[in-house]
Amino acid sequence: MADPRGFLKHTERELPTRRPVELRLLDFKEVYNKFGSEALQTQASRCMDCGIPFCHNGCPLGNLIPEWNDLVYRGRWEDGIDRLHATNNFPEFTGRLCPAPCEASCVLGINQPAVTIKQVEVELIEKAFADDCGVAPVLPSELTGKTVAVIGSGPAGLAAAQQLTRAGHAVTVFERADRIGGLLRYGIPEFKMEKQIIDRRLAQMEAEGTVFRTGVNVGVDLTVDELRAQFDAVVLANGSTIGRDLPIPGRELNGIHQAMEFLPQANRVAVGDAVPGQITAAGKKVVIIGGGDTGADCLGTSLRQGAEIVHQFEIMPRPPAERAGSTPWPLYPLMYRVSSAHEEGGERVFSVNTEAFIGENGQVTGLKAHEVAMVNGRFEKVEGTDFELDCDLVLLAMGFVGPEREDLLDKLGAGYDPRGNIVRDGTFAAAGLPGVFVAGDAGRGQSLIVWAIAEGRSAAAAVDTYLTVGTELPAPIVPTQVAQR
């Protein structure tokens, strides 16, 4: 390391400040202020010469974190972005949106605040784009003549497409929405990642030769027979998009929506699109059921739309303020976290279960709920804790249960595991479907963006082997993390 005593000289973990709450609630711009290069280099210098860098293991991509921390500290920005891009196609996405399991497994984090790995990552790629250095299109040395269809343009599909294009294959990405980006485009609010961040990366991919086709529902607009006839291989990266429902009395009332009905509309309006009949929280009493990131996205969006009051329900108990004993280092810690949306307003309610919705004239007006306690691994009602809460908008943000099947997957002949995900083998190949591969949430189940990118890269390696070595040999079975190094 350039400064082996950096972590002793700089014991404070420093991050960029957030814009004042009263200002950021007026718009959908990103919440963080700029972070200076000098401060960033100081933070990078805290990366220890720790011998065994557990951050590699914490990162699904196997990012070479100590290497690019060292290069940033030395001011070797171009070399740093090369090392970062060696394992991660889209650090501008992960640097904003990843919960940073790498930081949770940082060796320094055992007895000091962990290195600000995520911030170094995002600042490194932002400087690369600002200086137009290290982000030029990467063109293949030769073309293979093989064609690949990627179904879905979320992070897994984009990563697979970029890797396969750079390998010399002719890649077409199909997206049923009107714009490329999938979850990144319409699921992530603008205040967490402005969409010009996606657009500039797509421009690079188009310059490399990747073809994007929007407004195409594969299985309907392009039949399975046509898909098979036109492409030598197919990558299914269509995500896990069926929202978990809450089938309780009153669910049929108007005003109860899945988060992914609400958030995409808000994202469209934030970039200037017209959305007739938009689901909006303006002036409403809102209850969000689900305490995770999607719930927090609904919270921040509802507050910006002018909700009267917002409650966010979580069935799990409130986590401890410090790392729970059940998740010791280097595991990702169970602990209480406050996102930017949570500090903006609303009330978080833990250990609560909603048992019924109530309404008038077909419109939800409230809900009935009670507290719960964990007993022998099951949630049990705490007697005497029943309560009612007024609400006229309910957003269900309880996660996702699998990919949609009818239009494409069932027609293709895909199989499903007990969790509803597409069955695949260790080479990311869909079971019983030669030439079809599965990447990201469609096969893994709901997971992190960083895992989606890792799976897209690994699936691309398997597809490349299938196309170049031949169908008579199986693609190599390579653990995802090792494959990225």
Side-chain angles (χ1 to χ4, degrees):
M1 304 304 295
D3 188 354
R5 297 180 62 82
F7 72 98
L8 296 174
K9 293 188 291 185
H10 308 289
T11 58
E12 295 298 320
R13 173 184 166 94
E14 185 180 356
L15 292 169
T17 58
R18 292 169 177 168
R19 297 165 57 213
V21 169
E22 60 271 18
L23 292 182
R24 66 185 193 236
L25 286 180
L26 298 176
D27 58 45
F28 278 81
K29 296 179 181 178
E30 289 191 8
V31 303
Y32 287 99
N33 292 311
K34 298 296 183 182
F35 199 60
S37 295
E38 184 176 345
L40 184 74
Q41 289 176 286
T42 297
Q43 290 300 302
S45 77
R46 298 181 67 238
C47 187
M48 302 169 62
D49 185 10
C50 57
I52 301 177
F54 276 77
C55 54
H56 285 190
N57 186 63
C59 177
L61 281 162
N63 280 332
L64 305 173
I65 295 163
E67 296 185 28
W68 41 260
N69 272 334
D70 179 41
L71 292 166
V72 166
Y73 172 74
R74 294 173 181 269
R76 294 170 54 183
W77 299 95
E78 186 172 0
D79 291 335
I81 194 60
D82 285 345
R83 298 309 293 150
L84 180 51
H85 270 148
T87 58
N88 187 353
N89 297 69
F90 312 124
E92 65 272 31
F93 303 161
T94 54
R96 287 175 167 83
L97 305 173
C98 182
C102 55
E103 294 184 9
S105 57
C106 171
V107 173
L108 182 60
I110 295 175
N111 60 3
Q112 283 191 34
V115 176
T116 57
I117 298 168
K118 179 177 171 180
Q119 191 61 37
V120 174
E121 177 181 14
V122 73
E123 294 290 346
L124 183 53
I125 183 59
E126 287 306 307
K127 184 171 177 60
F129 272 110
D131 296 346
D132 194 21
C133 181
V135 290
V138 178
L139 303 178
S141 57
E142 61 179 353
L143 300 179
T144 65
K146 301 292 185 178
T147 57
V148 183
V150 176
I151 315 301
S153 67
L158 292 179
Q162 185 165 66
Q163 292 297 102
L164 288 165
T165 298
R166 290 175 173 181
H169 307 301
V171 180
T172 301
V173 178
F174 292 96
E175 170 58 58
R176 65 181 177 182
D178 61 337
R179 295 185 179 97
I180 295 294
L183 171 72
L184 297 169
R185 175 76 64 180
Y186 289 127
I188 302 297
E190 192 82 354
F191 58 81
K192 289 178 69 174
M193 186 176 73
E194 296 177 9
K195 300 310 175 279
Q196 57 92 10
I197 300 298
I198 304 173
D199 294 336
R200 70 185 183 188
R201 182 62 76 171
L202 295 179
Q204 180 206 44
M205 293 180 65
E206 288 182 315
E208 291 174 345
T210 302
V211 175
F212 296 107
R213 291 187 58 189
T214 57
V216 179
N217 187 359
V218 180
V220 178
D221 303 316
L222 178 71
T223 69
V224 168
D225 288 341
E226 291 170 333
L227 180 72
R228 286 297 218 168
Q230 294 178 29
F231 296 95
D232 298 307
V234 175
V235 178
L236 298 175
N238 47 319
S240 178
T241 56
I242 301 176
R244 181 174 284 107
D245 209 349
L246 188 60
I248 58 176
R251 174 61 180 89
E252 74 286 352
L253 292 167
N254 294 324
I256 304 171
H257 303 276
Q258 288 286 348
M260 286 305 156
E261 296 176 80
F262 173 71
L263 290 173
Q265 293 185 0
N267 281 340
R268 288 181 180 277
V269 171
V271 297
D273 288 356
V275 179
Q278 180 194 2
I279 302 165
T280 178
K284 294 181 179 178
K285 299 180 177 69
V286 182
V287 173
I288 301 162
I289 300 180
D293 288 341
T294 303
D297 294 345
C298 291
L299 172 62
T301 300
S302 296
L303 293 171
R304 282 164 176 77
Q305 290 180 345
E308 177 183 336
I309 189 171
V310 184
H311 290 81
Q312 184 179 9
F313 284 7
E314 170 58 66
I315 196 169
M316 299 293 291
R318 175 173 170 151
E322 303 294 334
R323 181 192 288 265
S326 60
T327 54
W329 180 89
L331 301 178
Y332 189 73
L334 173 65
M335 60 186 296
Y336 185 71
R337 294 179 173 84
V338 178
S339 72
S340 63
H342 291 133
E343 70 180 13
E344 293 165 357
E347 181 178 346
R348 301 170 77 178
V349 185
F350 293 90
S351 298
V352 64
N353 179 56
T354 304
E355 61 183 49
F357 298 113
I358 52 181
E360 295 178 2
N361 301 318
Q363 172 68 37
V364 66
T365 58
L367 56 78
K368 297 180 180 180
H370 57 260
E371 294 179 14
V372 295
M374 187 73 76
V375 179
N376 297 322
R378 298 177 61 86
F379 292 110
E380 299 287 349
K381 179 178 180 179
V382 177
E383 295 300 329
T385 63
D386 299 86
F387 67 93
E388 293 188 7
L389 182 66
D390 290 342
C391 60
D392 42 22
L393 176 64
V394 177
L395 302 173
L396 305 179
M398 302 178 295
F400 302 88
V401 296
E404 298 168 44
R405 302 180 179 184
E406 292 80 5
D407 287 343
L408 172 63
L409 301 183
D410 285 348
K411 294 177 182 178
L412 192 62
Y416 309 100
D417 66 21
R419 297 189 302 152
N421 304 316
I422 305 172
V423 175
R424 57 185 183 173
D425 63 20
T427 70
F428 295 87
L433 298 176
V436 179
F437 298 80
V438 186
D441 290 2
R444 180 182 182 82
Q446 178 189 349
S447 191
L448 304 176
I449 288 174
V450 68
W451 268 115
I453 297 172
E455 290 219 356
R457 289 172 61 90
S458 292
V463 173
D464 183 59
T465 300
Y466 169 81
L467 293 175
T468 57
V469 175
T471 56
E472 71 277 6
L473 294 177
I477 301 177
V478 182
T480 301
Q481 292 183 14
V482 176
Q484 310 314 313
R485 296 182 182 174

